[in-house]
Amino acid sequence: MTPLVVGNWKMNLTAGEAIRLAGAIAREAPADTEIVLCPPAVWLVPVASQLAGSAVALGGQDCHQVGQGAHTGDIAARQLADAGCSHVILGHSERRANHGETDAQVAAKVSAAHDAGMVAIVCVGETADQRAGGDALPTVETQLRGSLPAGCDTGNTVVAYEPVWAIGTGAAASLDDIAAMHSHAGSVVSAHSDRLAGCRILYGGSVKPENSREILALDGVNGALVGGASLVAEDFLAIARAV
Ligand code: PEP
């Protein structure tokens, strides 16, 4: 299984910064890791130009669940695909928290992404309170069952386990907790659908060059979803090389 490393640039970077970062990553990307960069939507097209001819793919950070229409400020899956995206992040905890996205909405967006021919990177993860209350595994299980619609398979869907309390905090989950959750998530998705048996499961949450090698070496961790460290070419490339 080829490991996958995804850079989520979130709402960061000017056009010039995005173009320079994409160019630097495209020039140095290791050949044996699949890499996807997810810039802000407004920079998708110039970043696509930087990635043209490289092995680095382009992804969106969200899409709407309907194909087109009166949805001011939203982006349709087909528009992302038309801009050159092969992947789209869906159900990120910042979307779930800041925009009230439910599992059902995430599932509808996943289907829209598939209809547009893209791979959906479906994010799940528990809050600090849920973990403290002993509810981490059931929370993620519920999110997975609700966010993965019929039609998901190992080719069109990737899961990203991102404990909410580890995102952007500098404190990644422990290796034992990551391994336990990835093992559980693998069982849940296989039971949910035969076609998801062996689905890639990424870890996300304060992945940095210093901790990437040991996280990515864990059984059941098939790559990483990287936020902050994806904004610095050398850091992101070090993570991609650590796979
Ligand atoms: C993320 O937002 O998906 C993420 C993993 O962020 P960070 O790497 O900054 O924790």
Side-chain angles (χ1 to χ4, degrees):
M1 189 185 300
T2 312
L4 173 63
V5 176
V6 181
N8 176 12
W9 294 357
K10 309 193 186 190
M11 197 175 71
N12 293 298
L13 307 176
T14 63
E17 289 165 346
I19 287 167
R20 279 192 292 281
L21 180 58
I25 292 170
R27 277 193 298 280
E28 302 288 334
D32 48 359
T33 300
E34 196 179 332
I35 295 177
V36 180
L37 298 183
C38 301
V42 70
W43 309 140
L44 282 169
V45 170
V47 168
S49 301
Q50 292 298 308
L51 303 184
S54 83
V56 179
L58 188 69
Q61 297 180 10
D62 177 48
C63 71
H64 199 275
Q65 58 267 39
V66 307
Q68 62 175 35
H71 298 283
T72 303
D74 284 317
I75 301 172
R78 276 196 199 88
Q79 293 174 313
L80 290 181
D82 209 20
C85 292
S86 53
H87 293 68
V88 57
I89 297 169
L90 295 171
H92 191 282
S93 65
E94 288 154 14
R95 302 283 321 169
R96 292 177 185 263
N98 300 343
H99 299 268
E101 285 190 9
T102 63
D103 290 340
Q105 283 170 322
V106 174
K109 290 178 177 209
V110 171
S111 293
H114 292 164
D115 289 347
M118 289 188 292
V119 175
I121 302 167
V122 183
C123 302
V124 293
E126 81 285 358
T127 63
D129 283 350
Q130 287 164 334
R131 178 157 285 274
D135 289 332
L137 296 181
T139 296
V140 167
E141 178 164 348
T142 301
Q143 289 175 334
L144 286 169
R145 291 188 192 285
S147 305
L148 297 172
C152 287
D153 61 38
T154 54
N156 65 20
T157 303
V158 173
V159 167
Y161 167 56
E162 299 206 298
V164 177
W165 48 272
I167 294 178
T169 61
S174 72
L175 296 180
D176 284 351
D177 286 344
I178 297 172
M181 185 61 84
H182 278 242
S183 165
H184 183 63
S187 307
V188 170
V189 297
S190 307
H192 186 62
S193 163
D194 287 350
R195 299 199 300 158
L196 283 170
C199 171
R200 284 193 285 191
I201 305 178
L202 315 182
Y203 170 77
S206 295
V207 177
K208 306 172 271 220
E210 303 78 50
N211 62 14
S212 55
R213 194 167 293 279
E214 52 188 3
I215 292 173
L216 292 166
L218 290 171
D219 266 355
V221 175
N222 310 118
L225 177 50
V226 185
S230 72
L231 297 171
V232 178
E234 270 323 305
D235 288 354
F236 185 68
L237 287 164
I239 293 167
R241 291 188 192 109
V243 175

